[in-house]
Amino acid sequence: MKAQDCLNILREIRDVAFATVDEKGKPQVRIIDIMLVEEGKLFFCTARGKNFYRELTESGETAVTGMNKSYQMVRLSGKVSRVKEQREKIDRIFEENPAMKDVYPGDSRYILEAFCIEDGELEFFDLGRSPIFRESFVLGKQGRITKGYRITDQCTGCGVCQNICPQQCIRKGTPCEIAQEHCLHCGLCYENCPVRAVERREL
Amino acid sequence: MKAQDCLNILREIRDVAFATVDEKGKPQVRIIDIMLVEEGKLFFCTARGKNFYRELTESGETAVTGMNKSYQMVRLSGKVSRVKEQREKIDRIFEENPAMKDVYPGDSRYILEAFCIEDGELEFFDLGRSPIFRESFVLGKQGRITKGYRITDQCTGCGVCQNICPQQCIRKGTPCEIAQEHCLHCGLCYENCPVRAVERREL
């Protein structure tokens, strides 16, 4: 599994959700088509008259997610940039996505502008497995943010966390250890550790 | 079509996308299950240890979207509140969504907290029709925001907008008139009106 595989899953799902932050600082979300995945980048487009366009260009940030029929979910968050060769890219998008001609016939397609995400963080989840499986990737240059929980050397090895974990993903030891790839980040171990040896990894 | 029908569509889709704004002001989005729709409210849950929980409780706002197999899409944005009777609601959620027991067996379910959206704006889109069809609704007490474009009395009836509209949803006249229920909000009429008679409805 690589970052590219995550982008390919999003392209196969095609109708994915894009979140933005509007000018009032509120969350917005829309179903938007992934139009192309090439050169390690994800391409989509929107019309200049839409609020989505405004939010993308003003904030420069978006977050994308989709889940396929096998309950594999991908999340991507990162920076958005306008493509330089607009007309060429829009034409290429219409070639690869012929149904677009029904929505934007003829030259009306050029009200659309193409955007890409080339730097960001990717998360992959397989919710069809038990325990769940998760993995994260870097797209482009952006650094990875570490999420979830870890067990520090304060751990006395009492095993409370291991017994309470809904995904049974804690290995007993001193210290106990969380199998990060199966962790839900639910926080039960964090709340219940009698010596407060569990801490957030993202600080 | 009513607000309740939109909530029912989201519940049928079930795995929908929830957008939030994180503590850095960036957009986040996740696939989350709609657990219940009752009393005109939409219920979902998340674990106290997750970043999603933090974002919900700190900002108090979310936006939700999903699309079904018939290309009917619903968007809901609004205020989020924690349910008062937590244990009762979590038990009811597990009763109505039995697969939850596989993810959170036994008492581990109580790391989850139930939230509801009762005030917000709803938008319905039917993308399976041509021209597309859209309609908006108020959920609870929240007022409706008017989006898109309108043609003012400055219009000379020249017909440029009517010819250019990709969805052919402008009726000729003086002034011309946009059939709001079919409008993509793409902005082509706004950009091309020779006398700048087209204005944004949301100001």
Side-chain angles (χ1 to χ4, degrees), chain A residues 15 17 28-29 31 48-51 54 67 73 75 103 111 149 166-167 184-186 191 200 202, chain B residues 15 17 28-29 31 48-51 54 63 67 73 75 103 111 149 167 184-186 191 200 202:
Chain A
D15 304 306
Q28 296 289 344
V29 68
I31 303 289
R48 279 188 297 277
K50 290 181 187 269
N51 289 348
R54 215 169 6 163
M67 186 166 77
M73 183 165 84
R75 290 177 67 194
V103 186
I111 190 70
Y149 296 88
Q167 294 286 309
L184 289 169
H185 300 174
C186 76
E191 286 193 2
R200 279 186 178 269
E202 174 192 356
Chain B
D15 304 306
Q28 297 289 344
V29 67
I31 304 289
R48 279 189 297 277
K50 289 181 188 269
N51 290 348
R54 219 176 353 170
M67 186 165 76
M73 184 165 83
R75 290 177 67 195
V103 187
I111 191 68
Y149 295 88
Q167 293 287 307
L184 289 168
H185 299 175
C186 76
E191 286 193 2
R200 281 185 177 269
E202 174 191 356

Side-chain angles (χ1 to χ4, degrees), chain A:
Chain A
M1 190 98 197
K2 291 180 299 183
Q4 182 67 39
D5 300 317
C6 292
L7 298 186
N8 292 343
I9 290 173
L10 290 174
R11 167 68 177 153
E12 278 157 26
I13 299 171
R14 208 190 136 101
D15 304 306
V16 300
F18 275 71
T20 46
V21 178
D22 71 15
E23 72 283 3
K24 291 175 187 156
K26 292 193 178 179
Q28 296 289 344
V29 68
R30 299 163 180 94
I31 303 289
I32 302 288
D33 280 14
I34 303 295
M35 292 297 180
L36 299 169
V37 168
E38 53 190 20
E39 312 148 34
K41 302 176 194 175
L42 182 150
F43 294 90
F44 62 101
C45 64
T46 190
R48 279 188 297 277
K50 290 181 187 269
N51 289 348
F52 182 46
Y53 178 90
R54 215 169 6 163
E55 292 153 18
L56 288 172
T57 50
E58 284 175 13
S59 78
E61 300 269 355
T62 193
V64 184
T65 194
M67 186 166 77
N68 66 20
K69 283 164 193 157
S70 316
Y71 297 98
Q72 293 180 316
M73 183 165 84
V74 171
R75 290 177 67 194
L76 165 62
S77 55
K79 291 194 194 309
V80 173
S81 47
R82 267 184 85 252
V83 168
K84 275 179 202 158
E85 305 293 338
Q86 279 295 333
R87 287 213 159 209
E88 274 175 31
K89 193 56 97 179
I90 292 294
D91 288 346
R92 175 142 174 68
I93 283 172
F94 273 63
E95 221 173 88
E96 295 289 324
N97 302 271
M100 287 298 289
K101 286 181 195 141
D102 302 332
V103 186
Y104 290 99
D107 275 359
S108 73
R109 66 170 68 173
Y110 300 117
I111 190 70
L112 299 171
E113 293 196 5
F115 291 86
C116 82
I117 308 177
E118 56 186 311
D119 290 310
E121 297 164 48
L122 277 160
E123 283 191 282
F124 169 79
F125 299 82
D126 192 338
L127 305 175
R129 284 165 63 172
S130 181
I132 64 113
F133 176 80
R134 73 191 305 155
E135 197 171 357
S136 54
F137 305 93
V138 175
L139 182 69
K141 300 184 294 276
Q142 191 152 327
R144 190 183 310 193
I145 293 179
T146 306
K147 294 180 182 175
Y149 296 88
R150 99 183 114 226
I151 303 178
T152 68
D153 288 343
Q154 307 268 309
C155 172
T156 60
C158 74
V160 161
C161 59
Q162 190 199 21
N163 293 329
I164 215 170
C165 175
Q167 294 286 309
Q168 302 189 306
C169 74
I170 301 182
R171 288 180 217 108
K172 204 168 172 187
T174 311
C176 292
E177 199 184 342
I178 298 170
Q180 296 295 344
E181 70 277 20
H182 300 307
C183 176
L184 289 169
H185 300 174
C186 76
L188 255 181
C189 57
Y190 174 81
E191 286 193 2
N192 287 281
C193 173
V195 297
R196 299 193 151 263
V198 183
E199 63 178 27
R200 279 186 178 269
R201 294 167 84 202
E202 174 192 356
L203 291 171

